[in-house]
Amino acid sequence: MSSQWEGGRVLADTVGDGPPEVQSWESVSMPGRPARFAGADAVAYRLTFADPRSTAAQRALLEFQGLYGHARVWLNGELLGSHREYFVPARFEFEPAAENELVVECHRPADGFGGVYETDHVRDALAVPGIWWGIHLRLRPPAFLRDLVVNPRLTDDGGAIDVAVSVDAAEPVAEPVTLSLRPEGFRGGGAMEREQVAAGAGERITVTRTLALREPSLWWPRNHGDQHRYVVRAKFRDHEITTTTALRTVDFGTDDGLRVNGERVRARGVNLLPSDDLLADFERVDEAGFTLARLHAHVAPPELYDAADEAGVLVWQDCPLSGDVRVDPERGRAVARTLASTVDHHPSVALFGVHDDPETPFDARMGGGRMDRLRFRRRVGGETDARPTAEGIAHALPADRPVFPVCGQPGIGPDAAHLYPGWTFGDADAVDWLCATVPELTRVVTEFGAGSLTASGAEPAGLDRGVHDTVVGSADTAASQVTQARILKRVAETLRLQGADVLAGFCLRDTDAGGGMGVLGVDGEAKPAFDALATSLRPVVPVLCEVPAPGSRVEVRLLNDAPAQVEGTVRWSFDGLEAGGSEAGDAVSVAAPAFDSVGAGEVAVPADATAVELTLETGTTAVVNRYRL
């Protein structure tokens, strides 16, 4: 059902109980986000098709994936049903006529749960109400499996996966459903159970069983172990459905930090905003070696979570709630429960956020001088009135994973902090003052960064040109991108030296042409900040403790986020030429314990140097970290 669609803007004064009226019908490609409807509050789509069944006994079902935002679905003038959460498949059963007209009416969310799509971080063309991810017309027999839900958990005896599968019967049923559990791509134990189903015509029966594993193989984040997963299969008659899941635990505490399966883990990565190809964005996350992807106030297509499970990348999943909006608490809890049931079987989904940036206490850039620091100190102890609702929503999310109700700037009492030294507060060196002033906010930092231009004079969505021009002092794209790289590098490495447990740059890709907060352009081309951030967030990397300047002396430290001690030699050079390191020579032998940093000498930067290059040699690999002066 991906061709011959038509679309049109819904006339605002015609919205009622019946099918929508549009300005005009135009040919569109579905699924997708037709750019011609950018900025529209409501868009309708229609398709005509013949009866798809080969026999009258077959049942016809429509399935939409990524149906944004509040939708109603009409067939031959009759309402099939409505749908509100774009991240959950919308399914409708229908009785086809010989010829059929399908109309899907999509309205921009008005309840606050459009998330980042309803902010200026996303250009209008990416937030067009519509059918974004998939459209399927499925034919099923009179009785079939409709849903398969799994809940993996560790037990005192090993592991267990609770399974619930629904049988939808249009005819009497008296036969078994087979449930099985098998390792995916590795050798290990499995399980199989049969459950008898008895249902009358028109009934939907849910079968629940627990599949036990005595010695389960666990799923680990990358750099910490293998990504063991299990396939759960339900079979009824000739119909089967499967889902893949895994066993692991995730905890966070102020003393213990972030732990997976009881072992210390540090999460380093980026925010992902909506884009034209979010799966390609995740491939760049994987390429960079990041261990964390934060889905900033939106929910991704299912394929992204599968990719994260396979790669061992931790996912920070936000609720689709962002900005200065206040929402109905009960509606929020319903959204949270639906979100949890959709993604929580993925082992990569490790942390949840609720309300992103509910207030902006610092609504203008602060220069970082004495008066600005006094203003900051006065405001930093504030709270937000969004907290009670955010905490109520948090209780509807999985209790077996860390949940951070408020994510935002200092001054609203955030559980996860957005810190922008060098961009909205002072220069990049202001990160040292922030770490000393609000050390409690440097453990979990879900945003830091700076923007840049890819086209001179551009006014891209999501980039404050006033802030940009103040920080860069120029509209030159080269200067803009070099400045962005320097800020991200300085802030990332300093926060790591402070022992941040969770650290996510903002963000991976620009969402508009001409520039943005991304380390990639909207076309996916890397800016200098991409390599700078990837290097600074490597699990093991030598760093300078300050921004080097010609003629200065700067301490070198070796950062180790790996789960084992690292031993090697740190060397440095200037402008590609080796130079003396300490008084004794040009290299320092170091041994950095797991999750620690150690001193690795002091660099004396020559007065005529234009770059400093640090190299860690471990005998098998070399890690290079370069600083432009």
Side-chain angles (χ1 to χ4, degrees):
M1 303 187 74
S2 59
S3 62
Q4 301 177 349
W5 282 84
E6 295 178 307
R9 294 174 183 255
V10 175
L11 296 171
D13 57 357
T14 66
V15 175
D17 295 332
E21 296 183 29
V22 304
Q23 292 177 349
S24 62
W25 292 108
E26 306 173 53
S27 294
V28 294
S29 178
M30 286 282 109
R33 314 177 201 213
R36 71 189 68 180
F37 303 135
D41 288 329
V43 182
Y45 303 88
R46 74 177 181 183
L47 175 73
T48 57
F49 62 96
D51 187 342
R53 300 172 300 176
S54 57
T55 69
Q58 288 181 313
R59 300 170 66 179
L61 294 92
L62 282 167
E63 180 179 288
F64 304 98
Q65 293 180 321
L67 184 58
Y68 185 87
H70 296 169
R72 296 189 296 176
V73 179
W74 308 81
L75 185 76
N76 302 327
E78 297 294 326
L79 181 66
L80 283 181
S82 60
H83 191 73
R84 299 182 81 177
E85 275 74 59
Y86 67 92
F87 48 86
V88 179
R91 299 187 177 111
F92 306 94
E93 185 170 357
F94 67 100
E95 185 70 24
E99 295 293 330
N100 303 274
E101 181 184 70
L102 174 68
V103 176
V104 182
E105 175 190 16
C106 303
H107 290 259
R108 191 176 298 282
D111 60 358
F113 289 99
V116 75
Y117 286 109
E118 302 305 316
T119 72
D120 61 6
H121 284 304
V122 176
R123 68 183 190 275
D124 288 343
L126 285 175
V128 174
I131 311 162
W132 290 351
W133 302 338
I135 307 167
H136 306 281
L137 196 163
R138 306 190 189 280
L139 299 178
R140 294 287 183 258
F144 65 95
L145 298 175
R146 180 175 285 271
D147 296 300
L148 174 62
V149 178
V150 302
N151 176 41
R153 55 189 172 86
L154 292 175
T155 67
D156 292 340
D157 298 325
I161 298 180
D162 300 320
V163 181
V165 61
S166 298
V167 178
D168 194 321
E171 64 183 16
V173 168
E175 51 202 288
V177 170
T178 301
L179 302 173
S180 63
L181 174 65
R182 293 289 182 268
E184 170 76 2
F186 70 97
R187 293 192 176 191
M192 179 179 289
E193 299 280 353
R194 284 187 174 88
E195 182 76 12
Q196 192 69 19
V197 175
E203 290 186 326
R204 185 181 298 174
I205 301 295
T206 298
V207 174
T208 60
R209 296 288 284 187
T210 295
L211 303 176
L213 285 166
R214 288 196 175 276
E215 296 181 356
S217 295
L218 303 183
W219 181 95
W220 291 91
R222 72 189 316 166
N223 307 322
H224 289 262
D226 294 323
Q227 289 73 53
H228 294 123
R229 291 168 292 158
Y230 291 87
V231 176
V232 180
R233 176 175 283 102
K235 186 173 183 181
F236 173 75
R237 295 179 177 174
D238 294 329
H239 185 212
E240 66 177 40
I241 51 179
T242 65
T243 191
T244 302
T245 190
L247 293 141
R248 57 93 186 90
T249 62
V250 185
D251 301 285
F252 180 82
T254 54
D255 294 329
D256 296 337
L258 181 64
R259 293 185 177 269
V260 177
N261 301 327
E263 300 294 330
R264 190 73 178 264
V265 169
R266 282 188 168 140
R268 314 289 190 218
V270 290
N271 284 246
L272 295 183
L273 293 178
S275 75
D276 295 313
D277 192 343
L278 202 56
L279 195 56
D281 288 351
F282 181 80
E283 291 173 357
R284 301 301 292 273
V285 169
D286 195 16
E287 169 195 330
F290 295 138
T291 58
L292 175 72
R294 180 192 176 208
L295 295 174
H296 178 102
H298 71 110
V299 187
E303 295 79 11
L304 185 142
Y305 302 95
D306 293 335
D309 291 347
E310 183 175 354
V313 173
L314 299 175
V315 172
W316 175 300
Q317 177 63 68
D318 275 352
C319 288
L321 179 58
S322 183
D324 188 11
V325 293
R326 298 298 179 263
V327 297
D328 175 65
E330 188 51 46
R331 168 73 178 137
R333 287 188 285 272
V335 170
R337 285 190 292 268
T338 303
L339 173 61
S341 66
T342 303
V343 304
D344 69 353
H345 67 282
H346 288 283
S348 58
V349 178
L351 308 107
F352 284 92
V354 177
H355 197 156
D356 169 74
D357 276 332
E359 292 181 32
T360 308
F362 304 102
D363 54 2
R365 185 177 190 279
M366 302 174 69
R370 179 173 176 273
M371 294 304 298
D372 287 324
R373 293 186 178 192
L374 287 173
R375 287 171 55 210
F376 181 92
R377 287 181 183 276
R378 283 198 300 268
R379 296 185 189 180
V380 76
E383 269 285 357
T384 174
D385 63 4
R387 174 167 291 281
T389 297
E391 290 181 341
I393 295 172
H395 290 311
L397 290 166
D400 63 346
R401 264 157 287 188
V403 179
F404 298 81
V406 176
C407 307
Q409 295 183 20
I412 62 171
D415 304 289
H418 299 171
L419 301 176
Y420 283 87
W423 187 248
T424 60
F425 185 86
D427 58 18
D429 289 341
V431 65
D432 297 320
W433 184 84
L434 285 173
C435 287
T437 304
V438 286
E440 69 279 7
L441 297 185
T442 62
R443 294 288 302 277
V444 180
V445 179
T446 36
E447 289 183 26
F448 69 94
S452 65
L453 297 175
T454 56
S456 182
E459 298 278 352
L463 180 69
D464 188 322
R465 274 302 305 270
V467 170
H468 171 275
D469 293 352
T470 299
V471 171
V472 179
S474 167
D476 177 72
T477 57
S480 174
Q481 293 180 27
V482 167
T483 300
Q484 179 191 34
R486 285 177 173 166
I487 292 173
L488 263 69
K489 188 172 193 64
R490 173 77 163 104
V491 175
E493 293 176 358
T494 302
L495 290 173
R496 287 190 64 182
L497 287 166
Q498 292 294 318
D501 292 294
V502 178
L503 193 55
F506 189 83
C507 56
L508 182 70
R509 186 197 291 252
D510 294 342
T511 60
D512 203 358
M517 300 295 288
V519 295
L520 304 176
V522 71
D523 58 359
E525 176 135 2
K527 304 176 187 178
F530 178 77
D531 286 337
L533 185 64
T535 299
S536 296
L537 295 185
R538 292 189 65 156
V540 181
V541 63
V543 302
L544 295 176
C545 293
E546 302 173 29
V547 176
S552 65
R553 299 184 68 88
V554 184
E555 181 186 2
V556 181
R557 293 191 73 82
L558 179 62
L559 287 168
N560 180 19
D561 282 344
Q565 178 169 290
V566 171
E567 298 180 5
T569 300
V570 174
R571 303 179 185 275
W572 48 88
S573 60
F574 307 98
D575 300 321
L577 301 176
E578 288 193 358
S582 65
E583 293 290 330
D586 63 355
V588 175
S589 296
V590 292
F595 305 108
D596 203 350
S597 69
V598 295
E602 186 178 70
V603 170
V605 184
D608 58 351
T610 59
V612 179
E613 188 169 279
L614 305 180
T615 302
L616 169 66
E617 299 170 350
T618 62
T620 56
T621 60
V623 178
V624 177
N625 192 4
R626 185 175 178 82
Y627 297 81
R628 295 177 60 177
L629 305 184

